[in-house]
Amino acid sequence: MASTDSKPTIDYTVRTGPGTVQVDPSTGGDQTWSVILQPDDKIIVGGESFQTAIGYPGSPGDESYGTRGSFTSVRLNSDGSLDSSFSQDGIALVPGNLDPEAYADYVMAVQADGKVLAAQPGLGGLKVERFNLDGTLDTTFGSDGAAAVVPPFSYDGLSMYATADGSVYVSLRGTSQAIVFKLDSSGTPDRDFDADGALVLNPTGHYGSGNIATVVQPDGSVLLGSWLYVGSDGPHDPGDPVYAVQRLAADGDLDTAFGVDGVVYFDAALGLDYRSAMTVQADGKIIIAGESKDSTAFNVLRLNVDGSFDTSFSDDGKLTLQVPQGEKNYAHSVVIQPDGKILIAGDVITRLNADGSLDTTFGSQDGQYHVDGSMEANQLIGNDTAEIIRGLGGDDVLQGAGGRDVLAGGTGADIFRFTQISDSYRTATETGSDRILDFDASQDRVDLIALGFTGIGDGHDGTLAIQANADGTRTYLKSFDANADGQRFELAFEGNLTGQLDSTNLVFTAPTVEGTAGKDVITGSALSEVIYGLAGNDRIDGGRGSDVIIGGAGADHLSGGDDPNLSVYGRNGINDADVFRYTSATDSYRTDTQSFVDLIDRFANNNDKIDVSALGYTSFGDGTGTTLKVVYNQDLDRTYLKDVEADPQGHRFEIALTGDWTQDLGNTEMIFAQAEEVTLVGMSSEVALG
């Protein structure tokens, strides 16, 4: 990056627990590929961060929505905290010159200096590129930033890793052969590594599809891990795949002193697959990290030098670690620290002590689970456990979800959201109430819309009571009526806020936002709102939240305003489902000479809806009677929902959507009226259905 002022803002979040760190560098999807140690014990984590490249989530047609990947380099201090002296707050977004999603054969790794290595097909075989932190090719690597490795066979499996001295190992596997290339720190083949920087391996067995893991040991031998197909007549026949590790000597042939004739076959019940990661300790013991049969956990195994399980590790050499809700249960990379601690890079970075126990000096320093935002506006959603969630800067949305959470919005106008009673409650025997540390009654709000309470009262019959404790150090918002699970909603605030909590900062129903009779520009908040444009050619952006948008009269430009970097159904269970509602035939119409047609922009398939029930329309059709016709205008790239029959004033109801929705717009995107006893608004009674 050229300077601090020129760096783009990074909307990141950090989750920490005992022994774990998870850095989410963007609001889009993220993936961790590699981890490496610096000489000063700082940790560099490499991965990808995905942003919307074309269209938006939920846009019509698969070809209308796509993402672009940026490489990421994240530097952590030895305790797992972000190293703010590195790039921007410890995170570098490294633009690449490729779309990683376009390649089936693609790997990346990060060097100890944070530079990014990427390998994909090209240059007559495989092209290995190195990128600086600003995204430019590092022209000191290979030839103008790229080095070529050319395997002598057709390959399927592919892996790459970097070592602390800058060396790069690239490995490829075919069905019965494998090869390891070694490049020095300048991208030149290491001539001291077997034949001109390439070691051809002769593993046993039959390999099918799937990736590999390799480790080159100090004595020149190579460990090769992948699925090996094992048949009914023995391990050398095609059949069902099992994960296997082979050790091959420096000449490329099997080392028969390892395992059984050079191979260790793992029980299929472990659930290991080809995405496993592998490394070797200084004492020669082997660490393998990979999937398990349990989709919410992954395995970590340690083998002795001869391939047997090391029973000093987690009692039997096998350890199962849970992953956070919604994260992948496999690892891309694993390294050993000089002190013997084990760093595993999956969706979450985990550090173990040498005996397999969680290293609680890494990640959370107080034994609690934390979710921390950046100085930008963040949407921070907890998991079903007790967490400390901090928004820091920006106008944040904080949602603890399950567990007894502690919430701190920091600076900015923050929203504390509760979507079910179990988010914050008390029963006759237990307390699961959340606590807000820094509620600013002048600008912060508590979003209670989804809970169904009607307002402030005595805590009965749908109301919530406001009470302070005896010494005035804490204020409670509570219900005294339990639900079917015996839970009574209860939320605690630090300090005495009894004179400050009211209907402006406790939001029980979706707020109403109204325009004027003129041409308005309205942008909603992160709350779910009902927005009325009224008359005039308005421009309405609903913002975050599940909004109801009623443009009213005039040719309005309407958008639900969902974040383009969020998936259609949002992240962490968030679902911003907007409704575009029409209550009068004059809200959007065309005559023979004029157009007052609304344009709906960024309509999200399978998420947003158009509500025409009040107008009496019952289905799609030819545009006559109570049907709406769907017509696409290619020149304007707009889809029209139209009534082809004019009312007595010459108005024909019509709505426009950006893009081609002819194949994607269905009944799930519409709210139609029931077919019985429908009268079209503005029409004469003769067209009523009975």
Side-chain angles (χ1 to χ4, degrees), residues 167-244:
S167 298
V168 181
Y169 290 92
V170 181
S171 305
L172 304 101
R173 179 192 49 73
T175 56
S176 60
Q177 206 169 24
I179 190 168
V180 179
F181 294 92
K182 182 180 181 182
L183 305 174
D184 63 22
S185 59
S186 68
T188 303
D190 186 342
R191 305 299 179 186
D192 294 330
F193 182 71
D194 201 64
D196 294 330
L199 173 62
V200 176
L201 305 175
N202 300 299
T204 188
H206 180 85
Y207 290 90
S209 62
N211 229 322
I212 59 169
T214 60
V215 180
V216 178
Q217 298 185 265
D219 63 359
S221 63
V222 179
L223 289 167
L224 170 64
S226 186
W227 266 356
L228 188 64
Y229 282 74
V230 178
S232 58
D233 297 329
H236 304 295
D237 300 320
D240 295 329
V242 297
Y243 193 78

Side-chain angles (χ1 to χ4, degrees), residues 18-42:
T20 63
V21 174
Q22 183 180 13
V23 180
D24 181 355
S26 76
T27 55
D30 301 286
Q31 179 168 282
T32 297
W33 277 88
S34 70
V35 62
I36 196 169
L37 294 170
Q38 292 185 326
D40 60 0
D41 293 332
K42 290 185 178 181

Side-chain angles (χ1 to χ4, degrees), residues 171-480:
S171 305
L172 304 101
R173 179 192 49 73
T175 56
S176 60
Q177 206 169 24
I179 190 168
V180 179
F181 294 92
K182 182 180 181 182
L183 305 174
D184 63 22
S185 59
S186 68
T188 303
D190 186 342
R191 305 299 179 186
D192 294 330
F193 182 71
D194 201 64
D196 294 330
L199 173 62
V200 176
L201 305 175
N202 300 299
T204 188
H206 180 85
Y207 290 90
S209 62
N211 229 322
I212 59 169
T214 60
V215 180
V216 178
Q217 298 185 265
D219 63 359
S221 63
V222 179
L223 289 167
L224 170 64
S226 186
W227 266 356
L228 188 64
Y229 282 74
V230 178
S232 58
D233 297 329
H236 304 295
D237 300 320
D240 295 329
V242 297
Y243 193 78
V245 173
Q246 304 186 43
R247 186 163 68 202
L248 302 111
D251 62 2
D253 293 331
L254 280 172
D255 177 1
T256 56
F258 181 76
V260 178
D261 296 328
V263 188
V264 174
Y265 302 96
F266 291 92
D267 189 338
L270 285 171
L272 292 172
D273 78 354
Y274 56 82
R275 283 185 287 255
S276 299
M278 184 167 53
T279 194
V280 178
Q281 298 182 168
D283 60 4
K285 293 183 178 182
I286 302 161
I287 297 290
I288 300 166
E291 282 189 286
S292 74
K293 287 291 187 181
D294 182 354
S295 63
T296 67
F298 68 92
N299 283 311
V300 184
L301 315 173
R302 188 160 74 193
L303 307 180
N304 293 309
V305 176
D306 63 0
S308 60
F309 279 104
D310 176 14
T311 55
S312 69
F313 179 81
S314 189
D315 294 330
D316 61 356
K318 309 180 189 74
L319 173 68
T320 300
L321 291 174
Q322 293 293 313
V323 297
Q325 180 181 356
E327 307 300 342
K328 301 181 185 68
N329 67 330
Y330 58 85
H332 270 300
S333 182
V334 56
V335 297
I336 309 298
Q337 295 187 170
D339 59 4
K341 292 181 178 181
I342 304 162
L343 271 170
I344 304 167
D347 279 3
V348 177
I349 309 300
T350 303
R351 190 163 75 189
L352 305 175
N353 294 309
D355 63 359
S357 60
L358 273 175
D359 176 14
T360 56
T361 67
F362 182 76
S364 169
Q365 298 299 297
D366 59 4
Q368 304 295 313
Y369 292 91
H370 294 257
V371 183
D372 293 316
S374 66
M375 294 305 293
E376 306 301 318
N378 297 116
Q379 194 149 341
L380 304 172
I381 313 299
N383 291 314
D384 192 15
T385 190
E387 294 160 306
I388 299 171
I389 303 178
R390 298 187 303 168
L392 299 182
D395 297 340
D396 304 307
V397 177
L398 295 85
Q399 183 176 332
R404 193 177 185 186
D405 304 305
V406 176
L407 312 173
T411 61
D414 303 308
I415 294 173
F416 300 88
R417 177 167 291 158
F418 299 87
T419 60
Q420 50 192 359
I421 300 298
S422 58
D423 287 352
S424 184
Y425 68 94
R426 179 184 291 274
T427 70
T429 58
E430 65 173 330
T431 299
S433 57
D434 290 354
R435 182 159 52 101
I436 300 176
L437 299 183
D438 60 347
F439 191 78
D440 183 345
S442 68
Q443 61 176 354
D444 294 342
R445 288 175 287 181
V446 179
D447 181 355
L448 304 163
I449 297 171
L451 302 186
F453 294 112
T454 57
I456 300 168
D458 61 3
H460 294 286
D461 301 321
T463 67
L464 292 178
I466 299 172
Q467 294 181 343
N469 62 3
D471 57 7
T473 59
R474 191 166 292 179
T475 305
Y476 294 91
L477 184 67
K478 58 173 62 179
S479 170
F480 296 111

Side-chain angles (χ1 to χ4, degrees), residues 474-561:
R474 191 166 292 179
T475 305
Y476 294 91
L477 184 67
K478 58 173 62 179
S479 170
F480 296 111
D481 297 330
N483 63 12
D485 296 319
Q487 298 171 341
R488 305 186 301 273
F489 182 78
E490 180 177 286
L491 173 64
F493 302 82
E494 287 296 287
N496 190 339
L497 302 179
T498 53
Q500 301 177 58
L501 296 178
D502 55 34
S503 59
T504 63
N505 46 48
L506 303 179
V507 184
F508 292 94
T509 59
T512 296
V513 180
E514 289 192 357
T516 68
K519 183 178 181 180
D520 301 307
V521 177
I522 302 173
T523 300
S525 71
L527 291 171
S528 297
E529 296 156 316
V530 180
I531 303 176
Y532 293 88
L534 302 182
N537 298 335
D538 305 311
R539 189 176 187 94
I540 301 175
D541 186 321
R544 290 180 289 173
S546 298
D547 304 303
V548 176
I549 299 174
I550 305 169
D556 304 311
H557 191 154
L558 312 175
S559 173

